[in-house]
Amino acid sequence: MALLRWGLGRQNVHRSSRVLLLKLTVIVISVLLLCEYFIYYLVIFRCRWPEVKTLAHGDSQEPVLKAMFLADTHLLGEIRGHWLDKLRREWQMERAFQTALWLLQPEVVFILGDIFDEGKWSTPQAWADDVQRFQKIFRHGSHVQLKVVIGNHDVGFHYQMSKYRIKRFEEVFSSERLFSWKGVNRCKDPASVKHYPLYRASDANCSGEDAAPPEERNVPFKEKYDVLSQEASQKLMWWLQPRLVLSGHTHSACEVLHPGGVLEVSVPSFSWRNRNNPSFIMGSLTSRDYALSKCYLPFEDRVLTTYGAAVSFLVLLVLAHFERLPSSLLSGWKRWRMHMRR
């Protein structure tokens, strides 16, 4: 009888262990799917295209161009990029971009420079590898146009540039000096896009949850390094006469109203390596007007908190299980010993 009870006890232990393993598996898979896949749908689903006033031309309204603006993806290279960091950041950007394309259906996407982190150093083979990864992450259908602006990390600062680096960039991305669609021009009224911000003294007047940290906002910007020079900014404004300017480079958000009422929007970095809260700009553009809205991506600290809570719950679940397990084994062992002594 004692041996039977011992055997039944062991069967109960095995059954309990299988149930525990099933619970752990379900929880782990559910958390991974939530944090690495579904969270992008849940967050981006809340984003909406802004409405822009359209003027009627005859019997039809003026067409509206739906454009996404993102910046500073900084795909890591072979020199400074740890494989695990590259894997994590590229997966995040791929899921965010592909989800945004599926949910929002933009007609054109602009990436405002610093596509790569090490373009200014890359060997031909490293450059080819980086380009291949970029094309996988930011793949898109023929109904979407992808326009890329050159950045300092792609070809180097003005004192580092070479014809070779510029040529290999333009051979891949076919950088255009002027883009026009539905009456909207990229380098003329109403929108101008570029990597470097126009001149401003600092980010002191910038605000919002994705602006530069408070301790960095009053740090003066260096001309020709952090922002364009005052002279270059004035010339560009005079030559192009834009109604709207979008730029990257600083990795933080900022809105600046330049002389003449021209709004400049600095787009934050699209990479979680540079920000806890990446975002991108959604623009509804016509030949006469525009409207902008911001779409925030998942906060990384919230994702990590979710993982931490899940791990804590799993530990408690395992401890609760094994707290009961030794008592049942001990009880069966004592009954078996008593039986053997008889």
Side-chain angles (χ1 to χ4, degrees), residues 5 7 30 51 70 102-103 136 172-173 184 212 218 238 249 255 300-302 309 336 338:
R5 289 176 181 173
S30 299
E51 293 186 4
L70 53 102
W102 190 80
L103 287 177
K136 174 183 178 296
V172 173
F173 297 105
V184 178
N218 293 309
W238 181 73
H249 188 61
E255 293 187 5
E300 183 153 47
D301 58 356
R302 296 176 186 174
W336 182 78
M338 290 176 60

Side-chain angles (χ1 to χ4, degrees), residues 11-24:
Q11 287 181 2
N12 289 334
V13 169
H14 289 315
R15 188 179 302 112
S16 177
S17 297
R18 287 196 297 270
V19 171
L20 174 65
L21 182 59
L22 179 61
K23 288 180 180 179
L24 296 179

Side-chain angles (χ1 to χ4, degrees), residues 59-91:
D59 295 331
S60 61
Q61 286 189 326
E62 190 175 15
V64 177
L65 178 66
K66 293 181 177 180
M68 273 176 52
F69 301 89
L70 53 102
D72 296 274
T73 54
H74 282 272
L75 270 66
L76 294 172
E78 63 178 6
I79 300 174
R80 302 196 303 184
H82 187 276
W83 69 268
L84 184 58
D85 197 13
K86 289 167 65 174
L87 181 67
R88 173 69 178 157
R89 303 313 176 189
E90 290 175 12
W91 168 258

Side-chain angles (χ1 to χ4, degrees), residues 57-214:
H57 292 282
D59 295 331
S60 61
Q61 286 189 326
E62 190 175 15
V64 177
L65 178 66
K66 293 181 177 180
M68 273 176 52
F69 301 89
L70 53 102
D72 296 274
T73 54
H74 282 272
L75 270 66
L76 294 172
E78 63 178 6
I79 300 174
R80 302 196 303 184
H82 187 276
W83 69 268
L84 184 58
D85 197 13
K86 289 167 65 174
L87 181 67
R88 173 69 178 157
R89 303 313 176 189
E90 290 175 12
W91 168 258
Q92 289 173 311
M93 287 190 283
E94 180 176 356
R95 289 314 326 144
F97 184 76
Q98 296 302 324
T99 304
L101 286 188
W102 190 80
L103 287 177
L104 303 176
Q105 298 290 308
E107 296 170 278
V108 60
V109 178
F110 294 98
I111 304 183
L112 308 183
D114 280 359
I115 313 304
F116 307 109
D117 194 57
E118 301 175 8
K120 56 187 178 181
W121 301 318
S122 296
T123 63
Q125 183 58 53
W127 171 262
D129 292 342
D130 292 346
V131 168
Q132 186 177 31
R133 287 169 26 239
F134 170 86
Q135 292 172 339
K136 174 183 178 296
I137 295 168
F138 296 98
R139 62 189 181 276
H140 55 90
S142 58
H143 61 287
V144 179
Q145 293 198 46
L146 180 65
K147 303 297 179 181
V148 175
V149 177
I150 200 166
N152 58 286
H153 274 264
D154 301 316
V155 297
F157 283 97
H158 53 281
Y159 55 86
Q160 295 173 314
M161 288 183 184
S162 67
K163 290 182 179 180
Y164 167 73
R165 294 192 187 113
I166 295 174
K167 182 180 179 181
R168 74 176 181 181
F169 185 91
E170 293 185 341
E171 283 178 347
V172 173
F173 297 105
S174 301
S175 297
E176 299 172 352
R177 299 295 183 267
L178 177 66
F179 167 76
S180 180
W181 194 5
K182 290 188 176 180
V184 178
N185 300 320
R186 190 185 81 178
C187 290
K188 202 176 178 181
D189 177 23
S192 174
V193 297
K194 55 192 180 56
H195 179 64
Y196 272 98
L198 295 171
Y199 174 79
R200 61 177 183 262
S202 67
D203 271 353
N205 296 322
C206 305
S207 60
E209 57 183 318
D210 55 354

Side-chain angles (χ1 to χ4, degrees), residues 2 14 27 34 42 48-49 53 55 63 71 89 107 112 140 167 198 221 228 249 265 289 304 308 325 341:
H14 289 315
I27 292 172
L34 172 63
L42 295 173
R48 294 290 182 271
W49 288 103
K53 296 178 182 178
L55 300 176
R89 303 313 176 189
E107 296 170 278
L112 308 183
H140 55 90
K167 182 180 179 181
L198 295 171
F221 282 147
L228 294 177
H249 188 61
V265 178
D289 206 352
L304 295 178
L325 185 59
R341 287 174 182 173

Side-chain angles (χ1 to χ4, degrees), residues 297-310:
L297 300 175
F299 283 59
E300 183 153 47
D301 58 356
R302 296 176 186 174
V303 172
L304 295 178
T305 299
T306 302
Y307 275 127

